Amino acid sequence: MATASGVSTGSVLQLPSLRVSAKRLLPRRTAAGSPAGNFFVKRNVVYNRRSYHQFIPLKQRGGLQAAVLPVTPPLLDDEGERKQMAEDYGFTQIGDELPDNITLKDVMDTLPKEVFEINDVKAWTSVLISVTSYALGLFFIAKSPWYLLPLAWAWTGTAVTGFFVIGHDCAHKSFSRNKLVEDVVGTLAFMPLIYPYEPWRFKHDRHHAKTNMLIEDTAWQPVWQKEIESSPFLRKAIIFGYGPIRPWMSIAHWLIWHFDLKKFRPNEVPRVKISLACVFAFMAIGWPLIILKSGPAGWFKFWFMPWMVYHFWMSTFTMVHHTAPHIPFKSSEEWNAAQAQLNGTVHCNYPQWIEILCHDINVHVPHHISPRIPSYNLRAAYDSIKQNWGKYVNEANWSWRLMKTILTRCHVYDKERYYVPFDELVPEESQPIKFLRKFMPDYA
């Protein structure tokens, strides 16, 4: 450990999954070459039995003080380290960092032209799959005994998520060659979810243009230190929101981003109002009809619980696509489009029935390379990306370990470490995170 008299070679600080061996003090020098007053410890860091070097500054206050050395993201330039990180985080592959000189156009130019082609038969087949599976789900709910209702809700909520994916294609102009058809289908697909189509479309376009950019990305953002320090009430709400209830935080996102006219440009407001009118019409007509036919309990069974399952998928899909301890959010000055879309987007394999009902939306890397690729062409596009850019891709299988990593590690923004978990910054208030660490399974 560092003391006022120096650092004894071989002293060790023990931290979770990290062993630090401090070797010697090195003065940091200015451009002119003179010592700047701060000293650095050269240390060997052993992360899961693999070693690399790091230099850590020690502040000087009347002599060098003992230091708690922060955990930083492991280096990604070694294949063995990446494999170990992948296993720890629940990934099947953590890709190399994409070189700075590669552009998004370079990646897009390697895709076959046919993956951009709209096929009306395939597009309307996806509508048939969603309508049929949703109707089947409602039948299951009506006929299931109480103890089978969770299964019926899981199926129906997943089926209605397919409606969202169809509207998602419409918003990206990858459903039909007719813009009016896309607007009508997109609006109708979103109505049972009481999701306003046009407001979502405007904000989602910004997510694609600014993926994993600090402040600008409208999908998810890491928590900022100032938010944690602002008030005890907000701090507790954020800890719960990014911890136990994060799989449903898209509900808060839905409310905050899509109903406030002030969040939209003047030329967008007329279309936003039309979408809001459609949503409110569904609530004013559809909800009373459900209650009239089956009572308040029927509204809960047939609409609310499938809607909650839909938001579970909405939240977790978004988290998994762009959130991991090794995937950074960057400022606009540092942001690189190709790195954000190829390196910063995760391909995640889900059970086959989920992939079918949700129209392959989790084959997400090609969608971020070009949103104009229809959902039914995403797998062909990903095969091409794997062939040409496979070593840069992040891949995972949906698992308890993957979800545990996101829910317990990816919290407060830090430029060097990317994320700092709540229970490191505010341990006395992070019981929800400690609970998840203790009780969530670690199965990959």
Side-chain angles (χ1 to χ4, degrees), residues 32 41 63 83 92-93 125 175 202 233 293 299 320 329 430:
V41 173
K83 287 182 178 179
T92 55
Q93 175 180 308
T125 297
F175 180 83
F202 292 136
F233 175 79
K293 183 70 175 177
W299 176 85
V320 167
F329 272 74
S430 296

Side-chain angles (χ1 to χ4, degrees), residues 53 78 84 123 141 164 180 213 229 243 249 269 300 391 394 403 410 414 426:
H53 299 297
D78 179 84
Q84 185 62 54
I141 293 173
F164 175 85
L180 178 60
M213 184 187 291
E229 296 171 350
M249 276 295 286
V269 169
F300 179 84
K391 71 176 184 176
N394 290 287
M403 293 302 298
C410 301
D414 182 88
V426 283

Side-chain angles (χ1 to χ4, degrees), residues 390-421:
K391 71 176 184 176
Y392 302 111
V393 169
N394 290 287
E395 292 185 324
N397 294 323
W398 193 54
S399 66
W400 281 107
R401 182 176 297 174
L402 180 67
M403 293 302 298
K404 187 174 184 178
T405 295
I406 294 171
L407 294 176
T408 63
R409 299 193 193 194
C410 301
H411 298 146
V412 181
Y413 171 71
D414 182 88
K415 182 177 175 62
E416 300 301 326
R417 299 168 56 184
Y418 307 160
Y419 292 100
V420 180

Side-chain angles (χ1 to χ4, degrees), residues 5-289:
S5 60
V7 178
S8 59
T9 301
S11 60
V12 174
L13 291 176
Q14 294 287 348
L15 294 173
S17 301
L18 187 75
R19 187 174 73 248
V20 180
S21 179
K23 293 299 182 184
R24 64 179 182 273
L25 288 179
L26 297 172
R28 180 176 64 85
R29 295 186 176 271
T30 63
S34 59
N38 290 334
F39 286 79
F40 281 62
V41 173
K42 179 183 179 183
R43 60 174 184 160
N44 291 329
V45 177
V46 179
Y47 176 84
N48 290 314
R49 302 180 300 280
R50 297 185 181 277
S51 177
Y52 59 91
H53 299 297
Q54 210 165 30
F55 296 93
I56 296 297
L58 298 178
K59 291 184 179 179
Q60 194 173 21
R61 295 177 183 172
L64 293 173
Q65 303 295 321
V68 176
L69 303 180
V71 182
T72 57
L75 300 179
L76 297 181
D77 57 359
D78 179 84
E79 184 177 356
E81 290 168 5
R82 289 198 305 274
K83 287 182 178 179
Q84 185 62 54
M85 284 178 61
E87 182 180 342
D88 291 345
Y89 296 163
F91 281 71
T92 55
Q93 175 180 308
I94 287 179
D96 293 356
E97 185 174 356
L98 191 71
D100 292 336
N101 62 337
I102 301 223
T103 68
L104 197 59
K105 185 178 184 304
D106 293 332
V107 181
M108 200 180 308
D109 286 347
T110 64
L111 293 172
K113 289 184 174 59
E114 53 265 27
V115 303
F116 296 94
E117 294 176 359
I118 293 174
N119 184 310
D120 290 332
V121 173
K122 291 181 179 179
W124 288 102
T125 297
S126 66
V127 174
L128 180 62
I129 289 171
S130 288
V131 171
T132 303
S133 58
Y134 181 53
L136 186 61
L138 295 178
F139 177 78
F140 284 163
I141 293 173
K143 298 300 182 181
S144 293
W146 66 268
Y147 52 85
L148 291 181
L149 279 175
L151 294 178
W153 289 331
W155 173 274
T156 310
T158 308
V160 82
T161 305
F163 287 170
F164 175 85
V165 179
I166 290 167
H168 178 264
D169 270 15
C170 292
H172 286 301
K173 301 180 175 61
S174 61
F175 180 83
S176 172
R177 297 173 186 84
N178 187 307
K179 182 67 172 67
L180 178 60
V181 169
E182 287 186 320
D183 287 346
V184 171
V185 172
T187 299
L188 292 175
F190 273 35
M191 278 177 60
L193 309 170
I194 57 172
Y195 223 113
Y197 171 73
E198 292 288 358
W200 175 83
R201 182 172 70 87
F202 292 136
K203 295 305 178 186
H204 187 69
D205 284 347
R206 186 170 165 185
H207 162 62
H208 275 271
K210 314 278 188 178
T211 302
N212 280 26
M213 184 187 291
L214 286 168
I215 301 174
E216 301 295 333
D217 191 345
T218 57
W220 287 104
Q221 287 282 326
V223 178
W224 289 84
Q225 180 87 23
K226 62 184 179 182
E227 294 176 303
I228 291 296
E229 296 171 350
S230 59
S231 75
F233 175 79
L234 180 60
R235 181 162 56 249
K236 290 177 181 177
I238 289 174
I239 289 171
F240 270 98
Y242 275 74
I245 65 171
R246 192 170 181 182
W248 289 274
M249 276 295 286
S250 59
I251 297 174
H253 186 273
W254 161 75
L255 279 171
I256 292 169
W257 280 100
H258 303 97
F259 292 89
D260 185 356
L261 295 179
K262 296 177 183 177
K263 293 185 182 296
F264 301 93
R265 300 184 184 96
N267 64 315
E268 296 172 342
V269 169
R271 298 182 72 91
V272 169
K273 288 182 177 179
I274 292 173
S275 289
L276 293 178
C278 291
V279 165
F280 293 138
F282 178 86
M283 295 168 67
I285 299 171
W287 283 3
L289 287 176

Side-chain angles (χ1 to χ4, degrees), residues 364-385:
H364 209 62
V365 177
H367 176 65
H368 267 266
I369 300 303
S370 174
R372 293 296 183 93
I373 300 174
S375 56
Y376 44 79
N377 288 336
L378 289 174
R379 290 198 178 273
Y382 189 62
D383 288 342
S384 173
I385 290 171

